[in-house]
Amino acid sequence: MPAAATTGTTARSPHQDVTSSVARSFDHWKHLVAESFVPLNARTADVDGFHGRMRSRVLDRMSIVEVSASSHEVHRTPALIAQAHERYFKLNLQLEGTGLLIQDNREAVLQPGDLAIYDTNRPYTLAFEDSTRIMVLMFPCDALSLPADYVGQLAAVRMGAGGLSGIVGQFIRELSANLSVLNGPSGSRLATNALDLVSTMLHAEMDISPDRMKPQAMLAVSVREYIEANLADPLLSPASIAAAHFISTRHLHNVFHESGTTVASWIRTQRLEGARRDLRDPLHAGQSVGTVAARWGFLDAAHFSRTFRDAFGVPPSEWRRGC
C-alpha cells in the first residue's frame, strides 16, 4: 500500500498517522499523488496557478485520502501499469465540484454525493475542469469479497447519492471528518466495516442473484464466502474447498487465477488480517498470541510468527505492544 505522502510542505497532526500535504508546484503535486496512490501522468492548463492539498490516513490495508485541487487531469497509462506490483481498487466520493472518470470505454460524470469505483490495473482518466474536493478509498483488490474481475464490471459507473450508495457515501464522509480519532482497534474495525459496506453496495449495484449471475461468478463468490466462514479450520485447503463445491482443485485454482491471486495466498491474507486485528483488540488482550493465531487457523506458533513478520514487518508480539 503506498504510504501517505510525507514530503514537501507537510504538517503532522497530534495524531501522528494523519498527514496533511500542500503542493508547492504542479510537479510536486504529481509526486504527492504517486506517494499517496499510484503513479499517474498529470497535466493542467494553469501550471503557475495550480493549488492542491491532501489529508490522508492509512487504516490497515485501506488508505483514506481527502483531495482538494484546482483544475487538472490525471491518466493511468499502460506503461505505468506495467511497473505496478499490486492491484488496487479506488472508490471516489465527489464532495465538491464535478469530476469525469473514464475507464473501459465508460464515462461517469460525478456530482457531489456520487460514488464511482475504478481499477488501478487498467487504464483510466480522471478530469476536473474546475476546483474539486473528493474523498478516495484505496485498497487491494482482494480486500473485497467479490472477485476483482466482476467488480471491474462497475468501473466508471456512477452510483448516485440515493439508496445504499448514499448510506455508504455518508459513512465515508464521517470517516474523513474524523481521521484523527481513528486509532487502534477501533480504527481497524471501522476500516473492515467500510470495506464490508462497499462490498454490500457493489453486490446491490450488480444486482447479484442466482438467476442473473454467471455461473463462474456465482462460484467465485460462493468459494470466498466458504473460505471466510472456515478460516479457523486448520484443515482448510484447496482440496477441501473444491470438494465442498463439487469441483476439481484445478477448476478452483482457475477461479482464483482469473482474479490474479491463488487460493493459498487468499486464505493466508484473510487469516493474517484477522489475527492482526485481534492482536490489537482489547477484547482479546488476555489471550496469548498462540491462542489468537489458532483461532485463525495457525496451529504452529513459530510458523505464524515468521509468516506474520514477513507480511507486516514486525513479529506478532511487537505488533500487539504497538511497537
Side-chain angles (χ1 to χ4, degrees):
M1 173 74 67
T6 57
T7 57
T9 308
T10 301
R12 288 284 188 180
S13 77
H15 304 272
Q16 290 297 307
D17 289 333
V18 178
T19 302
S20 180
S21 303
V22 179
R24 299 188 306 266
S25 64
F26 193 66
D27 282 341
H28 183 216
W29 179 252
K30 289 187 282 188
H31 173 75
L32 293 178
V33 167
E35 287 278 312
S36 296
F37 301 115
V38 292
L40 298 164
N41 287 340
R43 59 173 178 258
T44 180
D46 186 12
V47 174
D48 294 332
F50 178 83
H51 59 84
R53 179 179 180 272
M54 293 186 189
R55 287 180 63 248
S56 58
R57 181 158 196 164
V58 176
L59 292 177
D60 289 347
R61 306 174 73 205
M62 180 177 72
S63 289
I64 306 173
V65 187
E66 179 183 5
V67 179
S68 302
S70 55
S71 175
H72 71 292
E73 59 185 62
V74 296
H75 304 272
R76 181 73 167 158
T77 65
L80 292 172
I81 292 169
Q83 302 169 24
H85 301 293
E86 189 165 3
R87 182 179 182 182
Y88 297 99
F89 283 131
K90 294 168 73 176
L91 180 72
N92 280 17
L93 169 63
Q94 192 76 29
L95 296 175
E96 297 175 6
T98 301
L100 173 65
L101 170 62
I102 303 172
Q103 188 169 63
D104 296 342
N105 297 316
R106 288 190 293 269
E107 297 186 4
V109 177
L110 306 177
Q111 303 290 344
D114 291 343
L115 289 162
I117 197 165
Y118 48 109
D119 184 347
T120 65
N121 210 42
R122 301 202 302 278
Y124 66 80
T125 292
L126 270 170
F128 307 99
E129 288 190 3
D130 299 302
S131 293
T132 190
R133 186 165 69 93
I134 60 175
M135 285 303 306
V136 184
L137 300 188
M138 188 172 85
F139 44 87
C141 289
D142 63 7
L144 297 180
S145 58
L146 280 170
D149 291 345
Y150 300 101
V151 176
Q153 297 175 27
L154 289 172
V157 172
R158 185 185 73 85
M159 290 172 273
L164 187 53
S165 57
I167 295 173
V168 174
Q170 187 59 40
F171 186 83
I172 295 172
R173 284 177 187 266
E174 291 298 320
L175 283 181
S176 66
N178 294 279
L179 287 182
S180 62
V181 299
L182 301 179
N183 297 308
S186 296
S188 294
R189 281 194 290 268
L190 283 170
T192 300
N193 292 341
L195 292 174
D196 285 344
L197 280 173
V198 171
S199 290
T200 300
M201 177 186 69
L202 296 175
H203 269 275
E205 289 291 331
M206 293 174 70
D207 194 20
I208 292 176
S209 61
D211 60 331
R212 295 191 61 180
M213 196 173 180
K214 295 179 181 178
Q216 189 76 346
M218 288 176 59
L219 175 62
V221 172
S222 176
V223 164
R224 282 164 171 77
E225 290 177 345
Y226 178 86
I227 290 173
E228 289 178 351
N230 290 277
L231 287 172
D233 182 359
L235 298 180
L236 185 70
S237 67
S240 66
I241 297 165
H245 289 82
F246 306 102
I247 59 175
S248 67
T249 54
R250 180 177 181 179
H251 189 178
L252 177 67
H253 287 304
N254 286 338
V255 168
F256 279 83
H257 179 72
E258 290 176 4
S259 296
T261 186
T262 66
V263 185
S265 175
W266 204 79
I267 293 173
R268 182 172 61 251
T269 297
Q270 304 311 307
R271 283 175 165 167
L272 285 170
E273 288 297 330
R276 181 167 76 154
R277 288 193 301 271
D278 283 1
L279 285 170
R280 284 277 181 91
D281 194 327
L283 294 175
H284 306 296
Q287 298 177 345
S288 68
V289 170
T291 299
V292 172
R295 185 165 57 251
W296 290 98
F298 294 102
L299 298 187
D300 185 326
H303 170 70
F304 171 68
S305 183
R306 288 193 303 272
T307 304
F308 192 97
R309 186 175 59 247
D310 290 344
F312 304 122
V314 295
S317 56
E318 288 188 23
W319 169 259
R320 166 169 263 183
R321 294 195 301 268
C323 300

